[in-house]
Amino acid sequence: NELICTEQRYVCVSRPRRFGKSMAANMLASYYEKEENSDDLFGGLRISRAITYRDHLNQYDVIKINMQEFLSVTNSVDEMLGRLKRYLLFDLLDAYGNLHFRDSEDLIQVMKDIFAKTKCPFVILIDEWDCLFREYKKDREAQKKYLDFLRVWLKDQDYVALAYMTGILPIKKYGSHSALNMFTEYSMTNPREMAEFFGFTEDEVKKLCLTYDMDFESIKAWYNGYLIDGLHMYNPNSVVQAMLDHDYDFYWKNTSSFESINTFITMNYAGLKDDVLAMLSGDKIRVNVNTFQNDITTVASKDDALTALIHLGYLAYDANRKMAYMPNHEVSMALNLLQLQ
């Protein structure tokens, strides 16, 4: 709420699969969407005690996009962006068909016209924003078109009250510069004030264990280990599944391909494979996370590979000591499946 309609209204939160990114986007949509009445949902929560609670509750038009849905049904970045624009225009013109538009086929102009008439800016939520970089890994031209679209659509536009993006990796860098430099980023290596919301905290897990009659020490061994800004953080998806199934298991294997990380390890930059084996034995390895270009296809050093594994959730990161380590039993099992030993 403090960021709404300020220069800091651009936020990008990156964290691994099944760490609650989509849940957070859905929560924001429910809170801000003016067609909703979500006081019953939020009224008993901590947000309801904030001074700004009612100032922003259900006060905005919300555009929520899962970019993966558009990518998966198209065959090029041009087709994807064309489909996205058409769908957005359809919804906007359907909702505001009583207005006159300078150019009803121009998405940006339509949003400018709506804002000029209504004085109500948009909250724009983009889930899986970085999926194109995983699909078009080496297509720099496709990546550039996509980033150019986001920049022109969002940057310095008065109709944007808040732009909130989620993804697995931080925003792609070209050299030392970000293509979307207006965004404030929160990531596994730099979560700052968002740290406590990156997963379940220890206190939250203890309460869940009491509610579901689960052994806390077992849950801790299996799913704890992410040290985020000094907080011990648990993989939320795995904890939820353990509570619901009333069992301790390797749940993350069903959410992403562990084999995909084998590429980094078999590269064996400066003994990376040996370092991973050492971490499986409990060691910590020093890492410089600042050289990583936020692109898993341009990994060029052991530091880059380790940083990529941190962002993907396969390693944890101690920011104070600048060291990577194996977070928990669940991840250790995953890496053992790669038959590193």
Side-chain angles (χ1 to χ4, degrees):
N1 285 350
E2 293 175 355
L3 306 181
I4 291 280
C5 295
T6 70
E7 293 296 320
Q8 290 74 44
R9 64 190 183 274
Y10 304 98
V11 176
C12 183
V13 179
S14 60
R15 51 196 185 208
R17 291 187 184 280
R18 299 300 183 262
F19 265 68
K21 299 185 297 296
S22 297
M23 177 277 298
N26 290 337
M27 176 193 67
L28 292 175
S30 182
Y31 176 76
Y32 286 118
E33 172 58 61
K34 69 180 184 181
E35 297 300 321
E36 299 284 345
N37 182 5
S38 53
D39 191 34
D40 287 346
L41 180 61
F42 294 99
L45 304 179
R46 183 168 46 162
I47 179 64
S48 67
R49 299 192 293 273
I51 296 174
T52 60
Y53 172 64
R54 294 206 176 274
D55 293 339
H56 298 284
L57 179 69
N58 305 135
Q59 296 297 312
Y60 300 91
D61 278 324
V62 173
I63 294 175
K64 182 176 178 292
I65 301 164
N66 186 323
M67 204 62 76
Q68 183 68 55
E69 294 178 0
F70 289 89
L71 180 68
S72 62
V73 296
T74 53
N75 298 306
S76 70
V77 66
D78 290 322
E79 187 181 346
M80 184 194 82
L81 293 178
R83 187 183 184 91
L84 174 62
K85 292 175 186 177
R86 289 196 308 274
Y87 277 44
L88 289 175
L89 281 169
F90 178 89
D91 287 342
L92 291 168
L93 296 175
D94 182 59
Y96 291 98
N98 59 320
L99 301 182
H100 295 290
F101 298 100
R102 291 177 174 85
D103 185 349
S104 60
E105 296 182 357
D106 184 321
L107 173 63
I108 292 174
Q109 189 58 57
V110 165
M111 294 182 70
K112 286 182 176 180
D113 290 344
I114 292 172
F115 176 63
K117 296 292 175 56
T118 66
K119 305 303 180 185
C120 180
F122 294 85
V123 168
I124 299 174
L125 309 172
I126 305 176
D127 199 10
E128 298 279 1
W129 90 272
D130 60 337
C131 61
L132 181 134
F133 294 95
R134 302 192 296 274
E135 181 72 21
Y136 296 95
K137 296 178 181 178
K138 298 181 180 180
D139 191 338
R140 300 280 294 219
E141 185 59 28
Q143 295 174 11
K144 184 178 184 301
K145 285 182 179 179
Y146 178 54
L147 291 172
D148 285 346
F149 163 74
L150 291 176
R151 182 169 55 248
V152 172
W153 182 37
L154 301 174
K155 188 173 184 179
D156 297 329
Q157 298 290 4
D158 291 339
Y159 56 69
V160 177
L162 174 72
Y164 178 96
M165 302 197 308
T166 75
I168 296 174
L169 294 174
I171 292 173
K172 164 76 175 175
K173 294 180 182 177
Y174 292 102
S176 60
H177 302 288
S178 168
L180 297 173
N181 59 8
M182 69 280 200
F183 278 87
T184 300
E185 294 195 75
Y186 300 89
S187 71
M188 294 298 281
T189 60
N190 191 21
R192 303 192 302 285
E193 65 267 28
M194 291 283 286
E196 66 176 299
F197 310 111
F198 266 48
F200 285 149
T201 64
E202 192 154 89
D203 286 343
E204 289 168 338
V205 173
K206 286 179 178 178
K207 292 177 182 178
L208 287 170
C209 286
L210 289 174
T211 301
Y212 288 87
D213 192 25
M214 296 288 283
D215 180 60
F216 171 71
E217 292 301 325
S218 297
I219 289 288
K220 183 176 182 178
W222 272 87
Y223 310 117
N224 182 29
Y226 297 95
L227 188 65
I228 301 179
D229 201 27
L231 295 171
H232 288 278
M233 201 64 59
Y234 291 66
N235 181 327
N237 177 75
S238 297
V239 170
V240 167
Q241 290 300 319
M243 297 296 164
L244 294 176
D245 294 349
H246 213 71
D247 191 19
Y248 315 101
D249 203 351
F250 173 31
Y251 294 106
W252 221 19
K253 64 187 176 185
N254 298 320
T255 63
S256 60
S257 173
F258 283 101
E259 287 76 11
S260 65
I261 70 172
N262 199 28
T263 303
F264 300 129
I265 297 170
T266 54
M267 287 176 182
N268 204 24
Y269 286 119
L272 174 64
K273 185 173 180 179
D274 292 335
D275 285 346
V276 172
L277 290 170
M279 285 185 283
L280 282 168
S281 299
D283 290 352
K284 291 189 175 184
I285 302 297
R286 186 165 295 279
V287 56
N288 178 6
V289 300
N290 297 317
T291 63
F292 186 53
Q293 297 300 303
N294 301 338
D295 182 352
I296 59 176
T297 65
T298 58
V299 171
S301 68
K302 183 171 75 170
D303 283 330
D304 286 353
L306 289 170
T307 306
L309 293 173
I310 291 168
H311 284 298
L312 293 169
Y314 301 114
L315 293 177
Y317 179 60
D318 185 336
N320 292 327
R321 300 174 64 187
K322 313 297 183 189
M323 302 186 87
Y325 62 95
M326 203 62 54
N328 53 44
H329 183 55
E330 184 179 36
V331 175
S332 296
M333 284 184 64
L335 293 179
N336 276 318
L337 283 180
L338 296 177
Q339 297 182 345
L340 296 177
Q341 305 185 64

